[in-house]
Amino acid sequence: MPSTYSTNLKIELIALGEQVGTWGTTTNGNLGTALEQAIVGRVTVSFASDANKTLTLSNTNAAQDARALFLNLTSAVSLTATRDLIVPAVNKNYIVKNATSGGQSIRVIVAGVGVTIPNGKTALIYNDGTDITYQLDHLGALDLSGALTGTTFTFTGDGTFSGTGQVKLPAGTTAQRSGTPANGMIRYNSSLSQFEGYGAGQWGGIGGAQAGGAIMTNKTTASVSYTIASGENGLSVGPITVDSGVTITVATDQRWLIL
């Protein structure tokens, strides 16, 4: 009776009584190639043309790109649009780095929505056999030693905040809070390229009592200091309140969210 192969990693399963005298070679291939590649393996997957790329798995314990843990994506040509990396419909975790040329994103999919990885970024994803999702969507605590950067920041929960801190928002960032707005909340209005505060039932530009006196600034050309004037409400986020008379200094070419 011939060997069969496991569904997800294509480990060779020797039939009872088979491969007398040669089973050791098969076992070594399972352990030294197939399992090692799935646990720690890194391969380079190249997009040979400006088109989608498909990875397949076959019934062999020899090395296969689709089995590796880390997929380093490159391209032989400059990609002109987002391209798909189509992976087999198996249960598999991946670390995928988009190192392709042309500055385009790569979408990793099976047949569903998939996950889109920006150029130059690395993502930790999971293939559930139907679709690709991020492996993590919740962190109980996060301690960063460097700047927090990105394109969209959403602040959720009841608005409480213990301690003090700052979040640095690069140019082009959107800052927002989900849920029903309340006095003292802040957001970045990308259509108007300005930070706004919420007060008196509406959003308004920084600095006005109507806007709750949100101490936000969108400054990209020079250093600036802003003092909350008498009569402005200041900014309150949970237990932290900034009252009138406080001066906030924003450095050149930076946008700061003050918590």
Side-chain angles (χ1 to χ4, degrees), residues 48-63:
S49 62
D50 189 12
N52 297 334
K53 175 79 173 182
T54 299
L55 298 183
T56 60
L57 274 175
S58 58
N59 288 333
T60 174
N61 60 11

Side-chain angles (χ1 to χ4, degrees), residues 85-97:
L85 177 70
I86 305 166
V87 295
V90 298
N91 293 305
K92 180 77 174 69
N93 57 314
Y94 287 112
I95 301 172
V96 181
K97 179 178 181 179

Side-chain angles (χ1 to χ4, degrees), residues 109-156:
I109 66 168
V110 178
V113 175
V115 166
T116 299
I117 305 173
N119 192 261
K121 302 300 182 181
T122 302
L124 189 66
I125 60 177
Y126 184 74
N127 178 359
D128 65 7
T130 301
D131 201 1
I132 303 294
T133 59
Y134 287 108
Q135 290 196 36
L136 301 176
D137 61 8
H138 174 75
L139 292 175
L142 182 63
D143 186 0
L144 296 177
S145 59
L148 178 64
T149 61
T151 55
T152 301
F153 293 88
T154 301
F155 302 91
T156 61

Side-chain angles (χ1 to χ4, degrees), residues 101-253:
S101 301
Q104 300 296 328
S105 297
I106 296 295
R107 184 178 64 157
V108 185
I109 66 168
V110 178
V113 175
V115 166
T116 299
I117 305 173
N119 192 261
K121 302 300 182 181
T122 302
L124 189 66
I125 60 177
Y126 184 74
N127 178 359
D128 65 7
T130 301
D131 201 1
I132 303 294
T133 59
Y134 287 108
Q135 290 196 36
L136 301 176
D137 61 8
H138 174 75
L139 292 175
L142 182 63
D143 186 0
L144 296 177
S145 59
L148 178 64
T149 61
T151 55
T152 301
F153 293 88
T154 301
F155 302 91
T156 61
D158 60 6
T160 59
F161 184 88
S162 58
T164 60
Q166 296 174 327
V167 178
K168 178 182 177 182
L169 305 182
T173 295
T174 297
Q176 60 190 27
R177 187 189 190 282
S178 65
T180 303
N183 289 344
M185 292 181 181
I186 47 104
R187 73 178 184 182
Y188 179 72
N189 187 331
S190 58
S191 63
L192 298 179
S193 298
Q194 68 178 17
F195 284 101
E196 300 174 335
Y198 188 86
Q202 60 185 313
W203 293 99
I206 63 169
Q210 171 184 299
I215 51 170
M216 302 304 302
T217 188
N218 174 16
K219 191 66 179 177
T220 59
T221 58
S223 178
V224 64
S225 292
Y226 173 70
T227 301
I228 301 178
S230 175
E232 294 183 352
N233 297 329
L235 171 65
S236 176
V237 182
I240 299 175
T241 301
V242 181
D243 294 320
S244 62
V246 175
T247 299
I248 303 299
T249 300
V250 180
T252 302
D253 297 329

